[in-house]
Amino acid sequence: MTNKESLQRHLLQLDNRGYKAYKDIKGNYDFSEFTLIIDYVQGDPFASPSKFRVIVPPNIAQIPRELFNSRSREIALRDYLTRQFDKAAHSISSKRGTGKSGMIAVTGFGQEVLERTSAFIISSNTSDIEDLGGVELRFAVGLPAGGRSILGRQAAEMLCEDIPQIVSNSLKYSHLNAGECRRHVETVEDADWLRQQLAENGLVAFVADGAILPRRSGVDNRPLLNNAVPFQSPPSLKVEFNCPNRGLISGMGIPAGITLIVGGGYHGKSTLLRAIELGVYNRIPGDGREFVVANPAAVKIRAEDGRSVAGVDISPFINQLPQGRDTAQFYTENASGSTSQAANIIEALEVGRRKREEGRRKREEGRGKKEEAQSFVLETQLVAISEGDLVPVLLVDEDTAATNFMIRDRRMQELIAKDKEPITPFIDKVRLLYADYGVSTILVMGGSGDYFDVADTVISMDNFQAYNVTEKAKEIAKKYSTSRAAEGGENFGEITQRVPIPASLDPSRGRRDVRVKVRDVDELAFGTEEIDLGAIEQIVDSGQLRAIAAAMVYAKQQYMDGKRTLSEIIDLVMADIEAQGMDILSPFPEGDFAMFRRFELVAAINRLRSLSVVAK
């Protein structure tokens, strides 16, 4: 390992040489208070920037152990330090030359607090500083160039003056705002704690009193500043929790089962659902939705015209297609709204919890006895969580759903006989999903009161305020009978597992090298294919998509053998990440990965148009 002065001299000697000569600076450098590691050097000023790391030991960073003494706190602290480094870099670094020259930056981030590979906490092995932690932080650097020539003097200033200042301002605890740091950590810990309380309290989501749900715009996810109405729970749905840090908190608990969110247009129905669907993630203090939490397996389901579907058994919803097309192993390159929505539901169920026959038998025995049936479902959910499985919660907004998939009213049933209609509408399957598999649904519905018949809870939104109108909805349902015939049968149907054919996932374009590339949060290049993920609304960070791309390659290389099911492969990949971290997904340290869920990983795989499967 050489030192700072050696690096400085070397950079000055490189002045005016060809840009590729920067490759010589790769290595480790002792900066006295930290170690600078240059892992990768870009070959061109317009290419992807160079990859750097700094390691600040515990005796210099001096971060109190209480800020990272649990997994929840550590992830929150790592997020906070990443944001502080980014803030310091923006205030110090400046444009130096052409292309990306002069850039010092960490991975991008938004309102969500995600586990990232940008920062890690280093525990001390020395007894006299055992209560302190150090930091490893990864970032990108655009090495300065004039045209394609090295600007050595600017590079020396940037690496040997700017970076030490940024490190000092952002990674030494004595230079941080201790109160702000603690608030960041404690907010995340409280949200994680709240999320853990949901299942054992029979809930699938919680919306805190005082939460600010509206956002500034569709492209600005920060809270609305003016005229935002703080959320208040209806008294009949109000629950209270005593959080580890903030103490007593109250809000609306959404119970397991089928919940409708109704109300007039522009009164906050979709805003509430959007807050819930992103409640699978934690948020930064001041977001307004810090204490809106959802079941970790809550999945947004929507119609997705034009997506490909590979061998999915959509027969619980769609069968007897014209021309005798098979829906038990349904393939299409261009799905309709109804077939895509059916596939989206089945794919989420496929990688959720495993069906337990005993639990299903008990629920069958309890059918017709609502309280017993609900207790069996809750018991199954608790068993699933204790065994590491996830019971999906479906989130559906009628605005992004296929109408013919959601409802078929009495008049249409009279006109078009069931033997002429391949689609069994969601209204006839939603209760069976709950009874047979413990799958709850939260549904925004403003256009059809037929769903009153199957709902357990009905929440009305009026000027962004929630009201429990369940009893009124049930009275209306009795007063105005729809007289429609149920078409769902006695059971939901089986969830068929699929085995991916390894050759159908090729990230190498038929060559030796792997090609994966992401664009924002909605498009992924995998080999020769472009995967459109614009409809996967719970991907919120480009770092998640980069990690998903790497996980797809990892899954292909490590576990796809033509025998394992897709669900088993996802289990193995997620278990490896849990045990070893996201660094296992890349041959060298990456600073721009963010943690994702199994549902978004499998969504990317399922939208690969080359995907081919066989039924298990």
Side-chain angles (χ1 to χ4, degrees):
M1 181 188 297
T2 56
N3 58 24
K4 169 185 172 182
E5 289 71 25
S6 175
L7 175 62
Q8 191 171 34
R9 287 194 300 271
H10 192 173
L11 290 169
L12 293 175
Q13 291 168 0
L14 293 177
D15 193 39
N16 291 321
R17 292 183 58 183
Y19 198 87
K20 289 185 182 298
Y22 266 134
K23 295 283 185 181
D24 293 343
I25 68 172
K26 182 178 176 181
N28 298 5
Y29 299 90
D30 182 3
F31 272 56
S32 181
E33 291 194 330
F34 65 91
T35 300
L36 176 68
I37 303 172
I38 304 175
D39 290 306
Y40 164 80
V41 178
Q42 65 201 96
D44 185 278
F46 297 93
S48 297
S50 303
K51 297 180 184 293
F52 281 47
R53 285 182 286 157
V54 292
I55 296 178
V56 186
N59 64 314
I60 300 298
Q62 296 192 333
I63 298 174
R65 182 170 292 276
E66 63 179 9
L67 294 176
F68 60 93
N69 60 7
S70 69
R71 179 170 173 77
S72 176
R73 284 181 165 239
E74 181 183 336
I75 290 172
L77 177 61
R78 289 161 56 186
D79 178 86
Y80 180 78
L81 293 174
T82 297
R83 294 171 189 269
Q84 293 305 302
F85 188 94
D86 181 73
K87 180 180 178 181
H90 274 294
S91 67
I92 292 175
S93 60
S94 59
K95 179 75 173 175
R96 290 181 167 100
T98 56
K100 297 181 172 66
S101 294
M103 181 192 76
I104 301 175
V106 291
T107 181
F109 41 77
Q111 299 295 103
E112 291 75 26
V113 176
L114 303 174
E115 181 177 3
R116 305 177 189 277
T117 57
S118 54
F120 295 90
I121 305 302
I122 303 168
S123 296
S124 172
N125 294 320
T126 305
S127 59
D128 60 339
I129 54 171
E130 61 184 6
D131 290 332
L132 300 176
V135 184
E136 175 185 331
L137 197 132
R138 303 171 181 180
F139 57 103
V141 171
L143 293 169
R148 297 188 185 277
S149 298
I150 290 174
L151 296 177
R153 185 172 299 279
Q154 289 89 328
E157 292 174 354
M158 184 177 175
L159 273 56
C160 300
E161 296 178 20
D162 289 358
I163 288 178
Q165 187 62 51
I166 294 169
V167 169
S168 179
N169 290 352
S170 63
L171 303 182
K172 286 184 177 181
Y173 186 70
S174 60
H175 292 177
L176 298 176
N177 183 323
E180 181 184 78
C181 180
R182 183 175 298 278
R183 181 184 174 211
H184 195 95
V185 168
E186 291 181 348
T187 297
V188 169
E189 183 177 48
D190 281 345
D192 276 333
W193 183 88
L194 281 169
R195 197 173 289 107
Q196 293 169 4
Q197 309 309 305
L198 294 177
E200 62 188 69
N201 285 277
L203 304 175
V204 294
F206 172 80
V207 184
D209 289 334
I212 302 298
L213 305 185
R215 303 291 94 184
R216 296 187 187 183
S217 73
V219 294
D220 189 342
N221 204 29
R222 292 175 296 173
L224 183 67
L225 294 178
N226 299 319
N227 302 317
V229 179
F231 184 87
Q232 289 296 319
S233 172
S236 55
L237 293 175
K238 188 182 291 287
V239 294
E240 292 183 339
F241 295 101
N242 194 13
C243 296
N245 300 298
R246 69 174 285 127
L248 192 66
I249 186 172
S250 65
M252 181 175 72
I254 297 181
I258 292 83
T259 298
L260 299 187
I261 302 174
V262 302
Y266 303 98
H267 278 264
K269 302 188 303 296
S270 296
T271 299
L272 173 59
L273 188 71
R274 179 62 174 167
I276 292 169
E277 76 182 62
L278 296 184
V280 299
Y281 302 120
N282 297 322
R283 282 92 165 211
I284 61 174
D287 173 79
R289 304 165 301 174
E290 299 96 317
F291 303 113
V292 178
V293 297
N295 184 297
V299 182
K300 180 69 179 294
I301 300 294
R302 58 176 294 167
E304 195 176 344
D305 300 73
R307 66 153 290 193
S308 62
V309 178
V312 178
D313 183 358
I314 60 172
S315 62
F317 291 110
I318 301 173
N319 49 41
Q320 297 180 339
L321 287 176
Q323 292 85 47
R325 292 187 64 189
D326 183 15
T327 59
Q329 296 184 60
F330 183 73
Y331 277 90
T332 182
E333 286 289 314
N334 187 21
S336 66
S338 57
T339 55
S340 65
Q341 194 165 348
N344 290 344
I345 292 173
I346 298 298
E347 288 167 352
L349 299 177
E350 183 183 2
V351 296
R353 73 168 188 82
R354 309 297 169 265
K355 182 182 68 178
R356 292 173 176 79
E357 292 298 338
E358 179 63 19
R360 183 172 179 176
R361 182 185 64 77
K362 288 182 177 180
R363 289 193 297 277
E364 288 293 334
E365 292 173 354
R367 193 182 295 279
K369 302 175 183 178
K370 184 174 180 181
E371 290 184 2
E372 290 185 35
Q374 286 181 334
S375 70
F376 290 138
V377 170
L378 179 57
E379 177 187 343
T380 302
Q381 289 175 323
L382 290 173
V383 169
I385 289 173
S386 68
E387 295 183 7
D389 290 341
L390 294 172
V391 184
V393 175
L394 305 184
L395 310 176
V396 184
D397 190 329
E398 65 175 349
D399 284 350
T400 55
T403 301
N404 62 337
F405 180 81
M406 297 301 295
I407 185 68
R408 201 162 88 94
D409 64 21
R410 183 69 186 94
R411 290 176 174 176
M412 193 58 71
Q413 287 181 326
E414 184 73 21
L415 181 65
I416 307 297
K418 177 56 183 170
D419 61 0
K420 300 296 183 182
E421 173 52 76
I423 303 172
T424 299
F426 189 62
I427 191 173
D428 291 321
K429 288 292 189 178
V430 65
R431 286 225 65 86
L432 296 172
L433 261 177
Y434 184 54
D436 291 352
Y437 293 100
V439 174
S440 295
T441 298
I442 302 176
L443 171 64
V444 167
M445 178 59 66
S448 175
D450 286 6
Y451 271 86
F452 294 172
D453 291 327
V454 297
D456 298 303
T457 307
V458 184
I459 299 167
S460 174
M461 294 299 292
D462 184 353
N463 192 28
F464 289 89
Q465 287 300 321
Y467 299 88
N468 185 355
V469 296
T470 305
E471 290 187 10
K472 185 176 181 180
K474 293 300 182 183
E475 290 173 2
I476 292 170
K478 289 179 181 179
K479 184 177 180 180
Y480 301 104
S481 174
T482 65
S483 300
R484 67 179 303 278
E487 300 176 350
E490 290 297 315
N491 302 103
F492 175 78
E494 298 297 318
I495 307 300
T496 303
Q497 296 293 317
R498 297 173 295 153
V499 176
I501 297 173
S504 68
L505 284 89
D506 182 11
S508 64
R509 298 180 292 174
R511 305 173 185 174
R512 180 173 296 180
D513 63 313
V514 170
R515 175 186 178 261
V516 291
K517 186 176 182 180
V518 307
R519 299 180 183 89
D520 199 19
V521 296
D522 55 10
E523 191 172 335
L524 165 61
F526 188 84
T528 59
E529 292 203 45
E530 303 288 332
I531 305 174
D532 182 2
L533 295 168
I536 310 304
E537 299 176 29
Q538 288 166 295
I539 298 177
V540 296
D541 191 291
S542 59
Q544 288 180 302
L545 198 50
R546 280 188 285 271
I548 286 171
M552 290 173 67
V553 176
Y554 181 84
K556 156 78 172 180
Q557 295 172 342
Q558 299 295 324
Y559 295 122
M560 289 189 183
D561 57 3
K563 298 177 183 178
R564 293 187 177 98
T565 66
L566 184 55
S567 182
E568 289 169 339
I569 291 166
I570 299 299
D571 286 344
L572 290 166
V573 172
M574 300 307 289
D576 285 354
I577 294 172
E578 177 69 23
Q580 303 176 59
M582 285 180 279
D583 274 351
I584 65 166
L585 303 178
S586 176
F588 52 85
E590 293 281 1
D592 56 3
F593 285 172
M595 193 58 197
F596 53 89
R597 302 186 306 162
R598 63 174 51 229
F599 299 103
E600 285 70 56
L601 171 57
V602 81
I605 294 173
N606 279 321
R607 283 156 183 76
L608 192 63
R609 292 189 178 275
S610 63
L611 179 65
S612 185
V613 301
V614 294
K616 180 71 171 180

